[in-house]
Structures are given as structure tokens and as C-alpha cells.
Amino acid sequence: MRKIIVLLGAPGSGKGTQAVFIKEMGFKHISTGEILREEVKKGTELGKRVKSIMEKGELVSDDIINELMFNVVRENSGGLLFDGYPRNITQAESFDEFLKGENLKVDYVIYLDVSEDICKKRLSGRFFCPECKKDYNIYFSPPKNDRLCDNCGKELIQRDDDKENVVEERLKVYFEKTYPLIEYYEKKKVLYRVNGEKDVIEIKEDIEKILKNGSIKEG
Ligand SMILES: [Zn+2]
């Protein structure tokens, strides 16, 4: 039976890492950002519209995102893992309605539960060496000397996306728009909470158990 998974979690919850593991379990990884970039590259009518929206720095509308994701479901016959979709209640409702028409449904919503404080530290703590590219996190894997690379002594730098004000904005948008999906899917009895603060391999094993038994408990 064809299964559809939605991976939910705040920025910094470790979705990217777990998506790779779930992909290895045989699900096709559908990343919203990647689908948008591909559509632009293909130069379709929709792709051209997306390109002009993104060039203006505007947000791609729910209707366009829905249309692209529905196409993904139509064009793929195997299990799918959605990462970054749905992003809000409106998208989730449209997705459910569409899937119903295809005799499908969202089977599992895997929610990586990580406190806001940890997410913030994982993202805003990221620094790297401009010389040897070594990665650090000033909270979890700091250099020996304040903000200096252990290998070459260069001063560490930070990507703009990881700066504290940007991270705070990303988390704010997530809690306003995406977080309500947890309650939405809980009511539909397809939500599975996974403690996302554990070791990555333990999280992977918890997800495997859910997909195999429908619960984290051995079964
Ligand atoms: Zn270095």
C-alpha cells in the first residue's frame, strides 16, 4: 500500500537529517524548495510564474504550491515523504481534499519535537572557518578559543541565514503558521511525536518503529 508521510518540525529540529534516513527506508523525498527550483528550471508556464514571484522576493501562493504538490502525487506511484509541505492549515486542508479524491490520505505525520530554545541555539550557534571550512556550534561544539578556528586560528564567520534576528524571524513564522498543524493532524489521529532532542540514530529508530508498527513501542 502506498503511504504518504508528512515530516513536521521547527527550523533546527533536524528534519533534513531524518529526511535522509526516511528516504533510505524507500520513500521519495519531496522538498518544497527543490520542487520550486526544478519547476523554474523546466521553464513550464507555472515555472515562469514562480520565477517572477521569487525574483520579486514575494512568497509563492498556497494555490501554486498546492498545484505543484498535487502534480507530485499524480506523477509518482510509490511512497512519498513531504518535507516543508503543508506549511499552514489552508494548504493542509487542500491537500487532504485532493488526496481524498485520489483515494489516498496522509498516513503518518512525524513531528520532531524540539524545544524552541534548542532550535534557536542549533541555528544561531552555527559558525564556520572561512579558511578550512570547519563547522562549529558555539553552544554545542565550540572552538577552544573564543570564535577562532582550532585548525588555523582564523576568526569564525556566520551565514546571514544563521544570524540571531533571522533565526528568530524564521521561528516566529513557524510558530504562527506551521505549528497549528500539530493540533490539526492530532485530531485526525495521524500525528506521531518523536523526541527530536535525542541522538540522531535513536530518533531514526523511533521513526522506523512508527512506520513499522504504528507506534514507538515495540510491537
Ligand atoms: Zn580553519
Side-chain angles (χ1 to χ4, degrees), residues 8-15 111-126 137 139-140 158 161-164 166-168 170-172 174-175 179 196-197:
L8 267 187
S13 63
K15 275 195 305 160
Y111 168 50
L112 294 179
D113 196 357
V114 177
S115 76
E116 188 174 358
D117 182 57
I118 299 268
C119 288
K120 202 172 137 185
K121 285 179 172 159
R122 281 183 183 170
L123 297 172
S124 67
R126 276 187 199 158
N137 185 299
Y139 302 108
F140 304 118
Q158 196 173 29
D161 268 5
D162 297 335
K163 300 222 160 110
E164 196 161 322
V166 179
V167 167
E168 275 171 3
R170 284 169 66 195
L171 286 167
K172 193 178 143 227
Y174 166 80
F175 279 103
Y179 189 77
E197 294 181 11

Side-chain angles (χ1 to χ4, degrees), residues 93-110:
E93 286 170 348
S94 304
F95 194 39
D96 279 343
E97 205 179 299
F98 163 77
L99 290 174
K100 205 174 162 191
E102 302 282 313
N103 267 322
L104 292 167
K105 63 182 172 65
V106 172
D107 296 287
Y108 303 95
V109 177
I110 310 282

Side-chain angles (χ1 to χ4, degrees), residues 139-178:
Y139 302 108
F140 304 118
S141 51
K144 289 191 193 79
N145 296 307
D146 189 39
R147 309 280 163 101
L148 298 177
C149 180
D150 291 345
N151 294 339
C152 40
K154 283 262 180 207
E155 194 170 337
L156 303 179
I157 55 174
Q158 196 173 29
R159 286 167 57 234
D160 283 342
D161 268 5
D162 297 335
K163 300 222 160 110
E164 196 161 322
N165 56 332
V166 179
V167 167
E168 275 171 3
E169 182 58 29
R170 284 169 66 195
L171 286 167
K172 193 178 143 227
V173 170
Y174 166 80
F175 279 103
E176 270 175 28
K177 309 281 187 200
T178 310

Side-chain angles (χ1 to χ4, degrees), residues 129 131-134 149 151-152:
C129 170
E131 186 76 19
C132 70
K133 314 290 179 211
K134 185 175 161 65
C149 180
N151 294 339
C152 40

